[in-house]
Amino acid sequence: MHLAYPAVLSALLFCTGLYGVLARRNAILVLMSVELMLNAVNLNLVAFDVWLSKAAEETLHSGQALTLFTIAIAAAEIGIGLAIVLAVHRNRGTSDIDRLRDTAEGHEPDGPDTDKPATGTAAEKAEATA
């Protein structure tokens, strides 16, 4: 088998994952797209390891060992990422990345306008509550 077949498949998988990361709004789908990109890298590592092991007399299979590390890191990443997404969904009620970005930057889409002057100062509010 030629090296071009798995390399082209890996490039297609990586491009599909990249499109998913850039175009999706749902955090779960973004995590799935990142996993797709990592699997494309794993496919490349194994394909090049097999290709290089045919050329070399001593085979170390370093590509396959690196793939095992990548799979372990991907499993940890999806576990932690899913826990973070679930915690954010419980607190905010949405997993839409655009809305989460707006709230992180301090924009309140449903809140009051910031152009209006404040009615009272902090000292007046502290006296009113005391």
Side-chain angles (χ1 to χ4, degrees):
M1 181 168 73
H2 297 287
L3 182 62
Y5 297 134
V8 168
L9 179 63
S10 176
L12 288 174
L13 283 174
F14 191 85
C15 289
T16 305
L18 186 64
Y19 173 74
V21 167
L22 295 177
R24 298 292 178 186
R25 290 185 181 177
N26 191 353
I28 302 288
L29 293 176
V30 170
L31 286 174
M32 288 174 60
S33 298
V34 169
E35 291 294 322
L36 195 62
M37 290 170 34
L38 286 173
N39 285 332
V41 170
N42 288 339
L43 180 63
N44 250 346
L45 283 171
V46 171
F48 276 97
D49 181 48
V50 169
W51 184 64
L52 290 174
S53 68
K54 289 180 181 177
E57 292 178 15
E58 296 180 9
T59 57
L60 296 175
H61 298 294
S62 57
Q64 293 178 14
L66 209 58
T67 299
L68 289 175
F69 285 118
T70 307
I71 289 171
I73 289 171
E77 177 257 337
I78 197 68
I80 292 172
L82 192 58
I84 290 171
V85 167
L86 288 175
V88 167
H89 190 284
R90 282 185 188 163
N91 289 335
R92 308 270 173 116
T94 183
S95 62
D96 188 8
I97 294 176
D98 292 334
R99 288 188 186 174
L100 296 177
R101 185 180 306 131
D102 289 342
T103 57
E105 293 173 356
H107 301 294
E108 295 181 13
D110 296 330
D113 294 335
T114 56
D115 296 338
K116 297 178 184 176
T119 57
T121 62
E124 291 174 358
K125 289 181 183 178
E127 289 177 12
T129 57

